[in-house]
Amino acid sequence: MNEFLVSNTESIPGKTIVEFYGVVTGSTVRAKHVGKDILASFKNIVGGELKNYTELLQEARQEAISRMLSQAKGMGANGVINVRFSTSSIAQGAAELFAYGTAVRVE
Amino acid sequence: MAQLIATLIMLLLTFVTGNLIERRHYKKIKMRETKFKDMLTTNFENIPYDWNASEARLVTSNVVISLDYFKRFVANLRKVFGGNIVTYEPLLDRARREAILRLKEKARARGYNAIINLRLETSQIANSLTPKQTAGVEILAYGTAIKINLNNDNTDVKIPIPEPLIQ
C-alpha cells in the first residue's frame, strides 16, 4: 500500500473508489497556554494576528486529522474522502476541533 | 479623571496603530493576491471534465486575528444604537483573504497548481467583546490541491483567470 490519500472532494482524481468503510472521525479539545494568553492579550490591544493561537489551532487540528486517519487505517482503508472540519468552543478558553470524513479504498 | 485620560490615550494610540497594522496587512494581501492570480481556485466539488487533473491532497490553513482596543470600543458603542459594525468588517475580510492566500502558498510549495472544493469556516476563539479580555476570530480554509495540465492537446477550452479582488 502506498500513500494514504486524503481529500475533501467526493472523489479522487485519477482513482476509483472500490470500497466504502463508513464515516471516520477525530477530535481534540485544547485549552490555551497561560504564557501564550498573556502574549495574546498584548496583541489584543493593538490588533493584528495572534500567531500563537494560529499555531496552537493548527497543531490541534493536525492531531484531530491524525486521529481520524488512524481510525481509517485500522479499518483497512487507504484513503479518506469528503473531509470536513468543525470547531466549537466548549468552555471559556477551550475549543474542540473536529474532523470527519469517509474512509474508502481507492485504486 | 485619570482613568478617563488613560482611556482616551489608549483609544488614540490604538486607533493609530490598529489602522497602521490594517493598512499594512491589506497592502501585503493585495501584493500576494496578484502573485497567485494564475492559481485556479474553485469551490466546485468535482473537477470540471476538461481539466486534466492528477494527484490530490487535502490542504488546510488557518489564521487567528484579533481586534484592537479602539475597534472594540466602537463596536460596543454600536451595540447600543444598532447598525453595521463597520470596524469588524475589514477584520473578517482580512482574515479570510489571508487564510486563502496561505492555502495557496501551501499548495504551490508542494507543487500543486489548483485548488478545488475550497471551504471556509469561521469560529470565535474567545467569546468576549469586553476590551480587557482576548477576543479573536479564527478562519479555517481547506480544500483539495490538485495538479492540472493546462497545456493538454484536447483542451481547447480556455480557463479564465479571475481578477483579484480589489479593495
Side-chain angles (χ1 to χ4, degrees), chain A residues 30-33 36 51-61 97, chain B residues 62:
Chain A
R30 285 282 169 111
K32 50 197 185 197
H33 188 265
K36 282 179 179 172
K51 287 216 173 69
N52 284 319
Y53 280 14
T54 306
E55 274 163 32
L56 179 85
L57 288 162
Q58 200 171 10
E59 276 164 29
R61 199 163 278 122
L97 302 152
Chain B
N62 65 334

Side-chain angles (χ1 to χ4, degrees), chain A residues 8 10 44 49-50 85-86, chain B residues 45 67 72 102 117 144:
Chain A
N8 77 333
E10 282 170 12
N44 218 30
E49 191 191 343
L50 305 175
F85 292 103
S86 113
Chain B
E45 290 222 345
L67 278 176
R72 251 174 297 157
R102 282 185 188 177
N117 206 10
T144 301

Side-chain angles (χ1 to χ4, degrees), chain B residues 104-161:
Chain B
K104 288 181 178 176
E105 274 162 11
K106 256 189 197 173
R108 184 170 278 181
R110 288 172 185 162
Y112 297 96
N113 62 356
I115 296 168
I116 52 164
N117 206 10
L118 177 83
R119 298 283 146 125
L120 287 164
E121 194 150 303
T122 317
S123 53
Q124 211 174 12
I125 290 311
N127 46 346
S128 162
L129 277 179
T130 56
K132 276 188 185 128
Q133 283 166 289
T134 38
V137 270
E138 193 218 9
I139 305 283
L140 164 71
Y142 60 105
T144 301
I146 54 167
K147 279 180 187 163
I148 54 170
N149 185 8
L150 290 172
N151 310 319
N152 197 7
D153 299 334
N154 55 31
T155 48
D156 34 291
V157 188
K158 215 166 172 336
I159 301 163
I161 295 167

Side-chain angles (χ1 to χ4, degrees), chain A residues 4-100:
Chain A
F4 202 83
L5 291 155
V6 189
S7 140
N8 77 333
T9 50
E10 282 170 12
S11 59
I12 291 174
K15 311 264 179 188
T16 45
I17 297 155
V18 287
E19 204 172 339
F20 277 98
Y21 294 96
V23 174
V24 282
T25 60
S27 81
T28 167
V29 179
R30 285 282 169 111
K32 50 197 185 197
H33 188 265
V34 183
K36 282 179 179 172
D37 206 27
I38 291 165
L39 269 175
S41 66
F42 274 122
K43 207 53 204 253
N44 218 30
I45 294 167
V46 290
E49 191 191 343
L50 305 175
K51 287 216 173 69
N52 284 319
Y53 280 14
T54 306
E55 274 163 32
L56 179 85
L57 288 162
Q58 200 171 10
E59 276 164 29
R61 199 163 278 122
Q62 212 54 54
E63 177 71 38
I65 293 173
S66 65
R67 281 182 190 172
M68 178 181 78
L69 294 189
S70 66
Q71 196 188 337
K73 276 171 194 159
M75 287 170 163
N78 71 350
V80 178
I81 57 165
N82 217 2
V83 173
R84 294 282 181 270
F85 292 103
S86 113
T87 313
S88 46
S89 55
I90 299 292
Q92 186 81 46
E96 192 213 15
L97 302 152
F98 182 55
Y100 59 104

Side-chain angles (χ1 to χ4, degrees), chain B residues 5-124:
Chain B
I5 291 168
T7 312
L8 280 175
I9 289 171
M10 192 81 153
L11 281 175
L12 196 73
L13 212 71
T14 53
F15 173 72
V16 174
T17 53
N19 269 338
L20 204 76
I21 289 173
E22 189 175 292
R23 215 169 310 147
R24 243 209 250 142
H25 194 194
Y26 263 130
K27 215 171 141 191
K28 241 192 259 169
I29 286 174
K30 268 179 231 165
M31 219 173 67
R32 283 152 73 204
E33 265 175 4
T34 45
K35 221 168 86 187
F36 284 95
K37 210 177 145 183
D38 58 337
M39 186 153 197
L40 294 160
T41 312
T42 76
N43 62 351
F44 303 157
E45 290 222 345
N46 290 308
I47 306 150
Y49 70 96
D50 53 345
W51 291 20
N52 184 14
S54 64
E55 286 188 57
R57 187 199 173 128
L58 183 78
V59 279
T60 62
S61 74
N62 65 334
V63 60
V64 181
I65 291 210
S66 83
L67 278 176
D68 59 66
Y69 188 87
F70 174 79
K71 285 183 178 151
R72 251 174 297 157
F73 185 84
V74 173
N76 275 318
L77 279 185
R78 260 287 174 229
K79 281 200 291 186
V80 182
F81 304 109
N84 271 6
I85 303 181
V86 191
T87 53
Y88 272 35
E89 285 162 1
L91 174 88
L92 289 160
D93 179 47
R94 260 164 74 198
R96 269 193 201 113
R97 283 160 78 174
E98 176 72 37
I100 294 172
L101 279 170
R102 282 185 188 177
L103 193 73
K104 288 181 178 176
E105 274 162 11
K106 256 189 197 173
R108 184 170 278 181
R110 288 172 185 162
Y112 297 96
N113 62 356
I115 296 168
I116 52 164
N117 206 10
L118 177 83
R119 298 283 146 125
L120 287 164
E121 194 150 303
T122 317
S123 53
Q124 211 174 12

